[in-house]
């Protein structure tokens, strides 16, 4: 009576295979038509076939929804009535949402800065090391783990057992008990709990910063460094005065990339605290507003605020890209 | 030569790609389909032996009906068991989809176009939020509910005059769980007034009983905090009158009214009292079922919770539900009435679930109808740990003493009120009321701030 | 050479100074600390349930009791209401593979067009696509969900009908494709622009049309860039939660492992024994991909990140 595992998987598998085959077939057919067409038609067809799908998808799937969310942020909860800036007022005046905004800012400040700093430090330490690749791999490895997986891992590390007579299986609290400190309910006590959540993302992103900065450091020409050495400068000053300025561009890229990732992260807060205990961030609250409070107006407003936080970065990135292009 | 061959294969491929696209479309639709219909079933007028009672639900062989609900193990196992005969006789497969994030995901599913066939709403307030998407009850269903339930219960499932949700199970919430053996061993008496309850708590806290006087847990995944709202509601019924309670529910009295502030202060006398509870903030990270387990293993003396807790403690923690006289059963648990202000004021707080349909397929309607039949209700109650407001329910069928008492209370209370948070609009009752009470406990948020915050989220209408 | 040249001597001195044992030691310690959390997950997942709840995972080394019952339970035995992890594992695969192939294909096409076709507005389109990289998923979530469910109706005209694809993988694939496009196009475009102009001209002279040029020249040359992005996108999609949670629209039959894992946390009845095993099952594939193909992954990250 009940579906066996196979019965549930079989139609999905069929869909998968057919979809892949259909996709391949369509592409093949389009190419066929394209190359067989007359030269005059080809002039047009090539745009339609090469550029068309991507542009169409982006227009319909990214730009239109983004605009519609913007519009919905000026409407009420069911998107039927216009309410002007009411939702924005709500976002900045309600204490609970102010906390959400405050938390998001904390994340955006600490994750990029600390990850980059530690990443830079490790890149520096391993720059001339032999067999540094194992160390780097280990630090980089958390990037391969999903945020949810990381949340499980760290929930386990932060485990708190309130009953002193029961054993403590969380690593940090076991150490605390061992040295005689009062165990801490890491995920519960605001405002420090936000920092313990931030630590999880730092754990993940540091490897990213390290890899990029390490590659950038290796790109710094040997002669420049040596020239500085002739002056008898110490390692540290050499690093600060010479290497760092040369990789400044990369440092900025790392900071901005991690910032964007931090703003979007929803999984960690949702999985570890559900947004409770004053840990909520915009990415998660937006979801709650839309689907728990059933308020699309307020949910959309939060999404727009999130986007506004990212706009300076876009502007900067585009500007950088144009500069580079003209340099070539 | 090569060109020629290529052209032929190209045509073949082109045809194939069109066919593939069509198939992909079909496969997508069949994706969510049922097990292949039994194409060689006999004429449906033949009723199999022993299945006469299910004659009304025939004609849907091979169909599958999904029930989406918050109910997971261990209670869900009993539900699935209660459906076995129905499934066999009617050929309908009932897919039980239990999800603790129901209150959040139901909105995603409806918005995303994958609404379930049937949804069990633990809150009439939440059900009303989806009135626009639910299928109104059929005439047959309406008639069945008129016959088998009191008008009050039909009312809870009615939104703006249209009836959508049939009642399913019920529970009575004004209970305190305890171990008769523990009480007998320590010479404690069952309190009959609120003051006596506080006195008893002081006594236990001061004694050398190894556990705490009280234990509590409000964690429940995306639904964390609901258990604390039950305290508020029970106390609202005791410290204020029924009219005030009703005004509180429909917001004609604002949530941050001084009367509500009085009530939350009383709740704090127990819930936020470290002498009674031990670590208060940990309540927020203790699951509601684990909170209750304390009375089974002796780590606490009392736990306030609804009648359905019995099923969980039996299924997950090896307890046995006994009557208060069985004071020598190790691991035996029972309940006493959560006392009112005076011994003769005995208001009762209760709750229930309502089954709404998002699909008007005949099989779905059949299942929805079946769930309102006395036959199913009795079969389910006989499995234990559960009862319903169905008038055809034979109290002799109710397996355990606690639920038998609960039914009695339900039918005889001086004042009975439905769980307030379940009646309030979903944004509050399944939203801010939960999260704010969680903050109240976890972060020691001030009483007034909590009430103000909840009032601020009340939908303007 | 038995004697070192002066510059080589200087270089050797530089190496000596830089490879300070303190720095190396610190790096090693950090690497160990970094790995402990993941390691604790692995160790816990192979301990029997009773051990997990009664003692810390570090006691495993003094009292090793290895058991694979957790994996068996989580992978093959579902609960009453949830299918076993194996089904979700399959879903992760089924969701990820097309979500990698579709965007990469469309991105190579678009990058080709933007790099090699000359037309007015080309730069504008390119910069716009580049800028779209930073658009957060949250900004498009609800309307996109509504689009899949109800189609696009403006006024009385139906621009896109309701396609009836909800509850299947298809909305998830499309969503991942859309979100993967901007970065993919950017990276591939960077790469394609480096192919020398002369090649293009020579091919045109030979009579090749745009389509054959693509298949014969551009595609083979792009393979390294494609490989790098492929791995990147694979990890991204496999590890994603929000898209699977929302566009799967709560349907358990298509939910990937991340959704199931998120659900298991904070569900009563999901003890650490199934959580750790489940988590490990969900991270083992990306870990293997990561370790096997780390070089390409890094190359993908670096393309477009390292500035001189």
């Amino acid at each position: 009576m009940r579906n066996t595992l196979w019965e549930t998987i079989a139609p999905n598998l069929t869909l998968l295979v057919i979809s892949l085959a259909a996709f391949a077939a369509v592409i093949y057919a389009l190419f066929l038509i394209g190359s067989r067409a007359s030269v005059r038609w080809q002039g047009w067809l090539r745009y339609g076939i090469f550029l068309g799908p991507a542009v169409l998808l982006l227009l319909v799937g990214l730009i239109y929804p983004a605009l519609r969310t913007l519009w919905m942020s000026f409407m009420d909860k069911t998107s039927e009535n216009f309410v002007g800036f009411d939702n924005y007022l709500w976002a900045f005046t309600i204490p609970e949402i102010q906390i959400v905004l405050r938390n998001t800012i904390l994340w955006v400040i600490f994750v990029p800065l600390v990850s980059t700093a530690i990443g830079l430090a490790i890149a520096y330490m391993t720059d001339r090391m032999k067999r540094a690749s194992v160390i780097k791999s280990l630090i980089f490895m958390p990037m391969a783990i999903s945020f949810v997986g990381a949340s499980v891992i760290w929930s386990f590390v932060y485990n708190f057992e309130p009953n002193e007579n029961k054993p403590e299986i969380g690593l940090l609290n076991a150490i605390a008990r061992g040295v005689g400190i009062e165990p801490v309910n890491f995920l519960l006590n605001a405002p420090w709990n936000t920092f313990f959540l931030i630590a999880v993302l730092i754990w993940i992103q540091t490897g990213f910063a390290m890899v990029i900065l390490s590659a950038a450091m290796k790109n710094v020409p040997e002669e420049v460094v040596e020239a500085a050495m002739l002056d008898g400068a110490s390692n540290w000053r050499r690093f600060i005065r010479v290497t760092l300025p040369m990789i400044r561009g990369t440092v900025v890229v790392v900071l901005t990339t991690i910032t964007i990732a931090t703003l979007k992260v929803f999984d960690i807060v949702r999985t570890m605290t559900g947004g409770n205990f004053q840990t909520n961030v915009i990415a998660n609250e937006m979801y709650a507003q839309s689907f728990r409070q059933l308020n699309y107006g307020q949910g959309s407003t939060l999404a727009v605020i999130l986007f506004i936080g990212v706009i300076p970065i876009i502007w900067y990135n585009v500007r950088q890209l144009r500069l580079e292009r003209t340099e070539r | 030569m090569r060109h020629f061959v290529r052209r032929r294969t190209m045509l073949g491929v082109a045809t194939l790609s069109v066919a593939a696209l069509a198939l992909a479309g079909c496969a997508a639709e069949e994706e969510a389909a049922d097990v292949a219909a039994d194409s060689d079933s006999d004429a449906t007028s033949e009723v199999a032996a022993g299945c006469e009672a299910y004659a009304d639900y025939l004609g849907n062989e091979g169909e599958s009906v999904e029930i989406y609900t918050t109910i997971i193990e261990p209670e869900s196992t009993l539900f699935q068991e209660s459906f076995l005969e129905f499934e066999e006789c009617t050929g309908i497969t009932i897919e039980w989809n239990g999800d603790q994030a129901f209150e959040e995901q139901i909105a995603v599913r409806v918005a995303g176009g994958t609404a379930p066939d049937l949804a069990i709403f633990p809150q009439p307030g939440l059900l009303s939020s989806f009135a626009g998407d639910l299928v109104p009850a059929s005439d047959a269903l309406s008639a069945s509910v008129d016959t088998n339930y009191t008008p009050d219960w039909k009312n809870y499932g009615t939104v703006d005059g249209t009836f959508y949700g049939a009642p399913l199970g019920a529970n009575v919430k004004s209970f305190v769980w305890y171990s008769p053996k523990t009480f007998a061993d320590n010479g404690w008496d069952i309190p009959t007034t609120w003051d006596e309850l506080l006195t008893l708590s002081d006594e236990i806290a001061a004694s050398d009983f190894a556990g705490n006087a009280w234990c509590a847990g409000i964690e429940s995944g995306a639904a964390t905090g609901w258990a604390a709202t039950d305290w508020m509601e029970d106390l609202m019924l005791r410290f204020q009158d029924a009219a005030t309670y009703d005004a509180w529910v429909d917001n004609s009295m604002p949530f941050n009214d001084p009367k509500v502030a009085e009530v939350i202060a009383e709740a704090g006398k127990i819930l936020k009292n470290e002498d009674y509870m031990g670590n208060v903030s940990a309540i927020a990270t203790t699951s509601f079922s684990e909170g209750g387990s304390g009375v089974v293993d002796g780590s606490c003396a009392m736990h306030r919770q609804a009648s359905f807790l019995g099923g969980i403690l039996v299924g997950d923690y090896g307890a046995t539900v006994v009557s208060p006289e069985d004071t020598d059963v190790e691991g035996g648990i029972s309940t006493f009435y959560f006392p009112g202000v005076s011994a003769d004021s005995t208001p009762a707080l209760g709750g229930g679930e309502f089954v709404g349909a998002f699909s008007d397929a005949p099989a779905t309607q059949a299942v929805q109808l079946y769930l309102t039949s006395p036959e199913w209700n009795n079969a389910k109650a006989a499995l234990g740990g559960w009862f319903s407001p169905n008038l055809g329910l034979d109290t002799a069928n109710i397996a355990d003493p606690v639920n038998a008492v609960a039914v009695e209370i339900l039918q005889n209370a001086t004042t009975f009120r439905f769980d307030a948070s379940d009646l309030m609009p979903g944004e509050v009752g399944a939203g801010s009321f939960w999260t704010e009470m969680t903050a109240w406990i976890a972060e020691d948020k001030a009483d007034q701030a909590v009430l103000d915050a909840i009032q601020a989220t009340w939908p303007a209408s | 050479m038995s004697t070192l040249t002066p510059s080589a001597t200087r270089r050797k001195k530089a190496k000596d100074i830089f490879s300070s044992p303190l720095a190396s030691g610190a790096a090693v310690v950090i690497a160990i600390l970094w790995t402990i959390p993941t390691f604790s997950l692995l160790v816990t997942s192979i301990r029997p349930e009773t051990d997990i709840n009664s003692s810390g995972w570090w006691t495993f080394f003094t009292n090793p009791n290895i058991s694979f019952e957790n994996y068996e339970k989580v992978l093959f035995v579902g609960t009453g209401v949830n299918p076993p992890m194996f089904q979700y594992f399959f879903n992760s695969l089924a969701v990820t593979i097309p979500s990698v192939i579709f965007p990469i294909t469309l991105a190579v096409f678009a990058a080709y067009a933007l790099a090699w076709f000359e037309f007015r507005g080309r730069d504008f389109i390119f910069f716009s696509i580049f800028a779209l990289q930073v658009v957060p998923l949250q900004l498009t979530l609800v309307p996109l969900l509504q689009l899949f469910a109800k189609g696009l109706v403006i006024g009385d005209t139906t621009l896109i009908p309701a396609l009836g694809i909800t509850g299947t993988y298809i909305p998830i694939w499309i969503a991942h494709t859309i979100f993967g496009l901007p970065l993919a196009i950017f990276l591939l475009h960077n790469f394609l622009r480096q192919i020398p102009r002369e090649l293009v001209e020579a091919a045109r002279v030979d009579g090749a049309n745009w389509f054959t040029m693509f298949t014969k020249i551009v595609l083979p040359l792009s393979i390294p860039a494609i490989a790098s992005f492929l791995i990147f996108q694979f990890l991204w999609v496999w590890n994603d939660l929000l898209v699977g949670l929302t566009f799967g629209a709560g349907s358990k039959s298509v939910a990937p492992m991340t959704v199931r894992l998120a659900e298991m946390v904070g569900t009563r009845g999901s003890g650490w024994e199934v959580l750790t095993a489940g988590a490990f099952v969900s991270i083992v594939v990306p870990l293997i991909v990561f370790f096997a193909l780390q070089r390409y992954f890094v190359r993908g990250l670096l393309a477009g990140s390292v500035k001189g």
Side-chain angles (χ1 to χ4, degrees):
Chain A
M1 276 290 193
R2 197 122 283 121
N3 276 356
T4 63
L5 201 57
W6 177 245
E7 276 168 358
T8 317
I9 291 183
N12 285 348
L13 184 59
T14 315
L15 180 65
L16 175 67
V17 171
I18 288 183
S19 301
L20 287 172
F23 185 72
V26 168
I27 304 265
Y28 201 43
L30 284 176
F31 263 59
L32 191 67
I33 298 172
S35 23
R36 297 244 157 263
S38 69
V39 182
R40 197 184 60 141
W41 271 108
Q42 262 197 29
W44 289 105
L45 272 176
R46 62 183 170 131
Y47 286 103
I49 293 178
F50 284 109
L51 201 52
V55 171
L56 194 67
L57 268 180
L58 288 175
L59 268 174
V60 175
L62 208 58
I63 296 183
Y64 161 73
L67 289 175
R68 188 170 158 85
T69 298
L70 182 62
W71 178 75
M72 278 164 69
S73 72
F74 295 112
M75 308 290 279
D76 69 1
K77 51 186 297 203
T78 49
S79 307
E80 273 162 27
N81 303 309
F82 184 70
V83 296
F85 281 96
D86 279 1
N87 292 327
Y88 288 91
L89 217 65
W90 161 85
F92 290 109
T93 54
I94 297 285
E96 286 70 25
I97 306 297
Q98 285 175 339
I99 291 180
V100 171
L101 294 174
R102 175 207 77 181
N103 286 340
T104 310
I105 292 176
L106 282 176
W107 280 74
V108 165
I109 292 177
F110 281 94
V111 177
L113 283 177
V114 177
S115 307
T116 308
I118 302 182
L120 195 59
I122 302 176
Y124 173 67
M125 284 188 261
T126 57
D127 195 39
R128 303 287 173 132
M129 255 180 88
K130 290 175 265 211
R131 281 180 270 144
S133 57
V134 174
I135 293 183
K136 288 209 223 163
S137 279
L138 286 178
I139 298 180
F140 191 39
M141 181 185 68
M143 274 229 88
I145 299 178
S146 61
F147 294 127
V148 182
S151 301
V152 172
I153 291 175
W154 283 89
S155 293
F156 191 52
V157 172
Y158 289 145
N159 192 58
F160 170 73
E161 175 55 65
N163 189 333
E164 306 165 330
N165 301 319
K166 291 195 190 161
E168 176 58 76
I169 57 176
L171 181 62
L172 291 178
N173 276 325
I175 295 177
R177 278 197 196 181
V179 297
I181 316 175
E182 187 79 30
V184 178
N185 198 341
F186 291 101
L187 296 178
L188 191 69
N189 302 314
W192 296 108
N193 49 8
T194 294
F195 290 102
F196 290 117
L197 293 177
I198 288 178
V200 180
L201 194 56
I202 292 177
W203 178 70
I204 295 176
Q205 298 286 5
T206 298
F208 168 78
M210 173 199 73
V211 163
I212 309 266
L213 291 169
S214 192
M217 279 170 69
K218 292 212 188 299
N219 267 358
V220 173
E222 191 88 24
E223 306 80 56
V224 177
V225 179
E226 280 184 21
M229 268 167 40
L230 282 177
D231 303 1
S234 77
N235 295 357
W236 181 245
R237 291 185 64 207
R238 208 177 348 247
F239 179 67
I240 299 287
R241 291 273 167 90
V242 180
T243 321
L244 211 48
M246 293 208 73
I247 60 173
R248 198 188 62 153
T250 310
V251 173
V252 173
V253 169
V254 168
L255 281 173
T256 54
T257 311
I258 298 183
T259 303
I260 296 172
T262 307
L263 276 171
K264 296 194 212 171
V265 166
F266 146 95
D267 320 27
I268 297 180
V269 171
R270 182 177 203 262
T271 313
M272 293 178 87
T273 58
N276 288 324
F277 321 136
Q278 289 190 24
T279 56
N280 220 355
V281 292
I282 293 185
N284 199 31
E285 181 66 31
M286 176 262 162
Y287 197 82
Q289 284 294 326
S290 301
F291 300 117
R292 297 276 304 277
Q293 294 285 314
L294 303 173
N295 193 327
Y296 288 141
Q298 290 174 351
S300 302
T301 306
L302 287 176
V304 172
I305 293 178
L306 192 67
F307 182 58
I308 290 176
V310 160
I311 287 181
I313 300 181
I314 308 178
W315 176 83
Y316 177 80
N317 278 352
V318 172
R319 206 183 71 132
Q320 281 301 100
L321 192 64
R322 297 184 88 135
L323 279 176
E324 263 168 51
R325 279 216 160 177
T326 50
E327 270 169 32
R328 289 195 201 173
Chain B
M1 184 56 188
R2 259 189 18 213
H3 283 272
F4 186 65
V5 170
R6 275 177 71 197
R7 182 165 295 165
R8 286 270 287 274
T9 37
M10 287 323 124
L11 271 178
V13 169
T15 324
L16 206 66
S17 61
V18 171
L21 274 175
L23 269 175
C26 290
E29 279 170 36
E30 277 176 32
E31 252 282 322
D34 14 342
V35 177
D38 204 7
S39 49
D40 40 279
S41 62
D42 321 341
T44 52
S45 50
E46 292 271 330
V47 180
C51 288
E52 294 80 12
Y54 302 99
D56 291 338
Y57 314 109
L58 294 177
N60 300 300
E61 285 74 21
E63 295 292 319
S64 165
V65 174
E66 182 203 347
I67 300 185
Y68 190 51
T69 166
T70 54
I71 301 171
I72 59 176
E73 295 90 358
E75 304 106 299
S76 56
T77 323
L78 296 180
F79 274 94
Q80 289 171 313
E81 226 181 282
S82 74
F83 296 141
L84 288 178
E85 204 177 88
F86 175 85
E87 288 179 299
E88 240 186 76
C89 285
T90 61
I92 300 177
T93 309
I94 298 184
E95 296 289 340
W96 187 268
N97 187 350
D99 186 354
Q100 268 196 261
F102 171 88
E103 287 92 355
E104 175 194 78
Q105 287 299 304
I106 186 70
V108 177
R109 291 192 65 169
V110 172
T114 56
D117 298 314
L118 292 175
I120 302 182
F121 288 92
Q123 304 96 11
L126 190 63
L127 183 144
S128 68
S129 302
F130 291 98
D133 303 287
L134 286 167
V135 172
S138 65
D139 292 333
L141 184 67
S142 209
S144 175
V145 173
D146 283 331
T147 317
N148 291 308
Y149 298 90
T150 64
D152 269 340
W153 283 91
K154 183 174 185 186
N155 232 0
Y156 295 133
T158 307
V159 184
D160 284 340
T162 313
F163 176 53
Y164 293 99
L168 189 70
N171 53 74
V172 170
K173 303 205 175 206
S174 311
F175 279 141
V176 176
W177 289 83
Y178 74 110
S179 160
K181 182 167 195 307
T182 310
F183 266 53
D185 290 347
N186 287 282
W188 298 326
D189 294 318
I190 309 286
T192 54
T193 72
W194 176 252
D195 286 330
E196 278 177 29
L197 185 67
L198 291 179
T199 312
L200 175 63
S201 309
D202 288 329
E203 198 187 313
I204 299 177
S207 76
D208 48 7
F209 175 61
N212 291 318
W214 287 91
C215 47
I218 65 171
E219 189 274 329
S220 187
T224 297
W226 66 262
T229 69
D230 285 358
W231 277 84
M232 284 290 289
E233 290 140 10
D234 251 333
L235 290 175
M236 176 67 81
L237 275 181
R238 284 155 178 70
F239 285 93
Q240 311 292 345
D241 58 26
T244 311
Y245 186 93
D246 294 334
W248 181 48
V249 169
D250 65 24
N251 206 226
S252 47
M253 173 180 79
F255 212 106
N256 48 3
D257 190 279
K259 293 191 185 168
V260 187
E262 268 176 52
V263 172
I264 196 174
E266 291 295 329
K269 286 189 185 167
I270 295 188
L271 272 179
K272 298 231 266 188
N273 189 328
E274 303 253 331
D275 293 331
Y276 297 166
M277 288 284 179
N279 185 326
V280 168
S281 57
I283 293 175
T285 48
T286 309
S287 80
F288 72 92
S289 49
E290 207 188 304
S293 65
V295 297
V296 183
D297 62 28
S299 47
C300 65
M302 296 181 278
H303 175 72
R304 200 215 130 276
Q305 186 52 275
S307 50
F308 60 71
L309 184 69
I312 298 175
L313 291 184
V314 168
D316 277 351
Y317 296 95
T320 327
V321 177
V322 299
S323 54
E325 295 78 46
D326 300 328
T327 55
D328 50 358
V329 179
E330 192 73 41
I333 51 174
S334 192
T335 57
F336 63 81
Y337 173 72
F338 188 51
V341 172
S342 66
D344 44 329
S345 133
T346 56
L349 178 74
E353 304 114 9
F354 299 84
V355 185
F358 286 99
S359 148
D360 55 8
T364 306
Q365 304 275 300
V367 175
Q368 197 184 17
L369 184 63
Y370 176 59
L371 292 173
T372 63
S373 68
E375 289 77 40
W376 179 78
N377 278 272
N378 277 307
K380 178 70 175 64
L383 294 174
W386 182 92
F387 68 96
S388 77
N390 195 302
L391 297 171
L393 190 63
D394 185 352
T395 47
N397 262 332
I398 296 171
D400 65 64
V402 167
N403 282 309
V405 171
V407 173
E408 233 186 271
I409 291 183
L410 197 61
Q411 293 167 347
N412 299 325
T414 52
T415 314
F416 173 81
R417 280 297 181 277
F418 201 95
D419 184 306
S421 63
D422 292 350
L423 292 174
M424 295 174 183
E427 304 86 306
V428 176
S432 55
F433 197 0
W434 290 351
T435 50
E436 288 304 319
M437 291 305 286
T438 306
W440 181 68
I441 289 192
E443 309 150 34
D444 201 14
K445 191 164 177 177
D447 292 356
Q448 196 60 43
V450 166
L451 300 179
D452 291 338
I454 299 174
Q455 178 58 30
T457 64
W458 202 284
S461 51
Chain C
M1 294 288 189
S2 46
T3 44
L4 293 168
T5 62
S7 62
T9 324
R10 263 183 264 132
R11 235 173 288 140
K12 186 168 178 298
K13 271 208 184 129
K15 267 210 170 78
D16 295 337
I17 299 171
F18 263 92
S19 54
S20 117
L22 196 61
S24 308
V28 170
V29 168
I30 294 181
I32 293 180
L33 287 178
W34 234 251
T35 317
I36 288 182
T38 319
F39 185 64
S40 71
L41 186 85
L42 177 60
V43 167
T44 307
S45 68
I46 54 176
R47 296 177 79 203
E49 182 183 345
T50 41
D51 279 13
I52 295 177
N53 290 323
S54 59
S55 58
W57 60 270
W58 46 92
T59 61
F60 175 77
F61 298 104
T62 49
N63 182 23
N65 274 334
I66 300 189
S67 150
F68 289 100
E69 65 191 30
N70 300 333
Y71 282 99
E72 216 187 292
K73 196 164 152 192
V74 96
L75 268 178
F76 300 113
V77 178
T79 63
V81 298
N82 283 307
M85 196 59 119
F86 185 78
Q87 179 173 317
Y88 296 94
F89 184 87
F90 175 79
N91 286 340
S92 283
L93 272 177
V95 162
T96 308
I97 294 175
S99 299
V100 167
I101 294 179
F102 294 165
I104 253 287
T105 312
L106 298 184
V108 174
F109 290 176
Y112 172 59
L114 289 169
W116 286 29
F117 297 0
E118 310 269 347
F119 58 95
R120 228 174 359 169
R122 182 180 75 165
D123 276 358
F124 173 72
I125 292 186
F126 174 70
F127 280 110
S128 306
I129 293 180
F130 171 73
L132 285 176
Q133 268 181 72
V134 300
V135 171
L137 173 51
Q138 284 82 4
L139 192 65
T140 62
L141 194 73
V142 175
L144 200 55
L145 185 66
Q146 291 172 334
L147 203 64
F148 287 129
K150 302 182 229 170
L152 184 53
V153 179
I154 299 186
D156 283 326
T157 40
T158 306
L159 289 172
I160 303 175
L163 294 164
I165 53 176
T166 56
T168 68
Y169 295 131
I170 299 179
I172 309 181
W173 291 334
I174 297 180
H176 275 300
T177 303
I178 293 173
F179 286 100
L181 277 176
L183 181 63
I185 294 178
F186 171 64
L187 289 178
L188 287 164
H189 177 273
N190 258 4
F191 188 80
L192 287 181
R193 268 167 59 98
Q194 290 166 18
I195 297 177
R197 226 58 211 149
E198 300 82 58
L199 262 178
V200 190
E201 298 311 319
R204 295 285 291 162
V205 164
D206 280 352
N209 62 37
W210 293 102
F211 296 90
T212 44
M213 266 207 295
F214 178 82
T215 41
K216 289 200 169 18
I217 304 179
V218 175
L219 200 52
L221 284 178
S222 321
I223 304 255
I226 292 179
S228 298
F229 183 75
L230 218 74
I231 294 157
F232 203 70
Q233 178 76 348
F234 177 88
L235 286 178
W236 176 253
V237 175
W238 185 278
N239 289 335
D240 153 83
L241 174 64
L242 186 56
V243 173
L245 184 65
T246 313
F247 293 99
S251 166
K252 283 192 181 154
S253 63
V254 301
M257 277 197 290
T258 44
V259 173
R260 173 66 185 134
L261 197 61
E263 188 192 14
M264 282 168 79
V265 177
T267 300
R268 53 173 227 266
S270 278
W272 287 114
E273 76 281 1
V274 281
L275 261 180
T276 50
F280 201 75
V281 169
S282 82
I283 70 178
V284 78
V285 168
L287 279 181
I288 293 177
V289 167
F290 172 78
F291 281 119
L293 305 168
Q294 204 180 137
R295 208 172 347 138
Y296 296 99
F297 181 48
V298 172
R299 209 181 294 168
L301 279 185
L302 292 179
S305 293
V306 177
K307 305 284 185 261

